[in-house]
Amino acid sequence: MSTFKEGFLWGGATAANQFEGGFDEGGRGLNLADVLPGGKDRLKLLTSSGFDFEMDTEKYRYPNHEGIDFYHRYKEDIALFAEMGFKVFRMSIAWSRIFPNGDETEPNEEGLAFYDRVFDELAKYDIEPLVTIAHYETPLHLIKEYGGWKNRKLVEFFDRYVEAIFNRYKNKVTRWLTFNEINGATHMPLVGLGFSPSSDDVRLQESFQGLHHQFVASARAVQKAHAIIPGSQVGCMLIYAPVYAYDSNPENILHAKKEADIFNFFCGDVQVRGEYPYFIDHYFEENGIEIKMEENDLTTIKQGTVDFVSFSYYMSRTEKKEKTPEEQGEGNLIGGVKNPFLKASDWGWEIDPVGLRIALNELYGRYRKPLMIVENGLGAYDKVEEDGSINDDYRIDYLRAHIAQMKEAVKDGVDLIGYTSWGCIDLVSMSTGQYSKRYGFIYVDKHDDGSGTLERKKKKSFDWYKQVIASNGKEL
Ligand code: BG6
């Protein structure tokens, strides 16, 4: 008997902005990712203040415009996913394909028709779509004209967008996620909330206000899904990294706990339990944050709790109350100090399979809802050998170790319903805009300088993952 339940949802994950391309086709409007340059300046931009959302094509390349051209190659790609035996495929809908500016009243038929074709293609192979409604893709017009999610008006525009897609795809999509990595918003408001704080002083105030708007929008989306699509399931999506204390100094343990409360649990508590958690008032008070709410917001949040909890897992985080600048250093995307027990990827992300078991236990213990891992994987440089093979044993090792820990968590009693590894086909990196940071089982011939044929090739991990799925996780 396999540890994973029958019908376990094995598959892969993507996001429209990182792989679809066709950025100016089918009536699509521009969105946030279209103005993010490729290269080393990108990460700085994501975490700093004062970005003007203008493109500078003399200075930069904009890789998200072309992605890996799934827009034209979806049939070939879906056939490869089917060959691996995918049960589920996580993808997002690009909001600006459906509402090019975001504030129109009528959706763009060409955009709607594109996703019909994709869902129909998936259905041919019995692959279930898992659709993220908002994955770092706020329409650019809503950013420039309205200031992104800081502005309450976005709740209304989002309502229109979700109604349009729920009505259109009600017979094709049952599982939905509202906001990708919603809790990453205070760290990277640019991608999560579609605005760049005017200064670091207002960053927290504006980010938490934006988050409140997303909580209301998400809760309304859950209610609409249940009304429009009977039997539908809507999940929240968190970026989750267990927070370890650097040592047994109680000050460090307390600090780690507080970081975990704010970063890991605050958003989940609101979206799963339907209320702002007990610890947040003190945090808001300490940081001078005041949230403007409308009369029914808290009721809406209470009535729109999610059906399941999904999350991304790449790394754990180690915290110390007092950090020297050297300890802080470069590394994990979400901060912390270096953990002496862990090795890191070529991008400094600490690799911690046991942390995934801890994450699953923490989330299940707190929420008691079905869990789904909707992102996990190793961003690495791949080499195509002279005979055309790509021997990504490092990726197989990484995934094997993580799936082994998932098994342990299931034995611990966690209700885990699925796993979609990130970037099942190579795509543009979110944080660096690189093609060379590859996650896929399928290699795409496309490079950081823009060259490449876009040809797809199977890596060694392709057949490995196929066997994992066929054996329902027994053969790793
Ligand atoms: C998650 C995002 O944070 O991590 C994805 O939801 C992203 O969009 C993934 O691509 C991996 O990060 P990166 O920066 O390596 O692409």
Side-chain angles (χ1 to χ4, degrees), residues 17-18 33 36-47 63-64 135-136 180-181 187-188 190-191 239 314-315 331-334 345-349 375 379 422 427-435 437-439:
N17 76 86
Q18 290 167 261
L36 296 179
K40 60 181 171 14
D41 289 348
R42 173 132 149 181
L43 189 56
K44 243 186 289 157
L45 201 76
L46 296 183
T47 48
N64 299 62
H135 192 132
Y136 301 159
N180 183 63
E181 295 186 333
H187 187 57
M188 291 195 289
L190 191 68
V191 285
I239 176 171
Y314 293 95
M315 65 198 96
N332 269 352
L333 185 71
I334 45 180
S345 78
D346 287 338
W347 279 262
W349 295 16
E375 284 189 33
W422 174 251
L427 36 64
V428 177
S429 154
M430 182 275 290
S431 59
T432 66
Q434 289 169 301
Y435 283 103
K437 189 178 186 190
R438 297 175 183 273
Y439 286 87

Side-chain angles (χ1 to χ4, degrees), residues 99 102-108 156-157 160 164:
F99 288 95
D103 59 359
E104 298 90 340
T105 48
E106 292 304 318
N108 168 34
E156 192 190 309
F157 301 142
R160 255 182 244 164

Side-chain angles (χ1 to χ4, degrees), residues 233-269:
Q233 298 272 306
V234 187
C236 59
M237 195 314 197
L238 309 168
I239 176 171
Y240 198 88
V243 186
Y244 306 148
Y246 183 73
D247 56 24
S248 55
N249 178 345
E251 291 292 350
N252 288 337
I253 293 177
L254 182 67
H255 178 68
K257 187 201 160 350
K258 290 207 170 283
E259 289 291 319
D261 278 349
I262 300 302
F263 193 78
N264 282 348
F265 297 123
F266 166 61
C267 292
D269 285 2

Side-chain angles (χ1 to χ4, degrees), residues 131-180:
V131 175
T132 319
I133 302 172
H135 192 132
Y136 301 159
E137 285 144 357
T138 309
L140 194 62
H141 176 75
L142 297 186
I143 293 177
K144 288 187 161 177
E145 287 300 310
Y146 297 88
W149 279 95
K150 270 188 317 220
N151 191 328
R152 173 94 196 185
K153 285 217 170 82
L154 264 76
V155 176
E156 192 190 309
F157 301 142
F158 192 76
D159 270 354
R160 255 182 244 164
Y161 164 50
V162 298
E163 267 171 35
I165 58 177
F166 288 167
N167 280 315
R168 178 71 169 226
Y169 306 124
K170 62 180 169 210
N171 298 319
K172 300 183 180 182
V173 183
T174 0
R175 259 181 262 251
W176 301 85
L177 305 176
T178 53
F179 292 93
N180 183 63

Side-chain angles (χ1 to χ4, degrees), residues 57-312:
T57 47
E58 307 259 292
K59 197 165 161 202
Y60 296 117
R61 209 169 266 296
Y62 291 87
N64 299 62
H65 290 189
E66 191 182 2
I68 57 154
D69 196 31
F70 177 81
Y71 190 69
H72 297 108
R73 293 163 198 253
Y74 65 93
K75 288 193 179 178
E76 182 191 347
D77 293 343
I78 291 170
L80 287 166
F81 302 152
E83 198 182 325
M84 273 188 278
F86 278 20
K87 314 281 180 220
V88 65
F89 175 54
R90 177 177 176 227
M91 52 181 276
S92 69
I93 291 181
W95 185 350
S96 68
R97 252 190 218 297
I98 311 299
F99 288 95
N101 283 329
D103 59 359
E104 298 90 340
T105 48
E106 292 304 318
N108 168 34
E109 175 53 34
E110 267 191 275
L112 287 167
F114 168 66
Y115 294 106
D116 266 325
R117 293 197 290 277
V118 172
F119 296 143
D120 292 346
E121 197 63 22
L122 287 167
K124 268 200 212 164
Y125 300 98
D126 274 333
I127 301 176
E128 186 192 330
L130 167 66
V131 175
T132 319
I133 302 172
H135 192 132
Y136 301 159
E137 285 144 357
T138 309
L140 194 62
H141 176 75
L142 297 186
I143 293 177
K144 288 187 161 177
E145 287 300 310
Y146 297 88
W149 279 95
K150 270 188 317 220
N151 191 328
R152 173 94 196 185
K153 285 217 170 82
L154 264 76
V155 176
E156 192 190 309
F157 301 142
F158 192 76
D159 270 354
R160 255 182 244 164
Y161 164 50
V162 298
E163 267 171 35
I165 58 177
F166 288 167
N167 280 315
R168 178 71 169 226
Y169 306 124
K170 62 180 169 210
N171 298 319
K172 300 183 180 182
V173 183
T174 0
R175 259 181 262 251
W176 301 85
L177 305 176
T178 53
F179 292 93
N180 183 63
E181 295 186 333
I182 188 165
N183 55 320
T186 51
H187 187 57
M188 291 195 289
L190 191 68
V191 285
L193 297 165
F195 70 84
S196 185
S198 45
S199 77
D200 278 343
D201 297 343
V202 294
R203 181 192 188 85
L204 284 180
Q205 168 63 40
E206 292 184 344
S207 300
F208 279 98
Q209 184 63 58
L211 269 179
H212 177 73
H213 295 149
Q214 290 193 341
F215 293 149
V216 175
S218 173
R220 281 157 72 145
V222 173
Q223 288 173 286
K224 282 181 204 298
H226 292 162
I228 299 172
I229 318 173
S232 58
Q233 298 272 306
V234 187
C236 59
M237 195 314 197
L238 309 168
I239 176 171
Y240 198 88
V243 186
Y244 306 148
Y246 183 73
D247 56 24
S248 55
N249 178 345
E251 291 292 350
N252 288 337
I253 293 177
L254 182 67
H255 178 68
K257 187 201 160 350
K258 290 207 170 283
E259 289 291 319
D261 278 349
I262 300 302
F263 193 78
N264 282 348
F265 297 123
F266 166 61
C267 292
D269 285 2
V270 178
Q271 293 188 289
V272 184
R273 293 175 162 167
E275 53 195 38
Y276 273 69
Y278 78 94
F279 54 77
I280 204 67
D281 288 346
H282 187 208
Y283 176 83
F284 282 170
E285 201 182 298
E286 280 178 330
N287 290 283
I289 297 165
E290 275 179 46
I291 306 295
K292 274 200 209 97
M293 295 193 191
E294 287 189 4
E295 209 186 319
N296 294 325
D297 283 0
L298 293 178
T299 317
T300 304
I301 287 172
K302 191 80 201 167
Q303 290 171 349
T305 54
V306 293
D307 304 302
F308 66 101
V309 174
S310 82
F311 66 102
S312 63

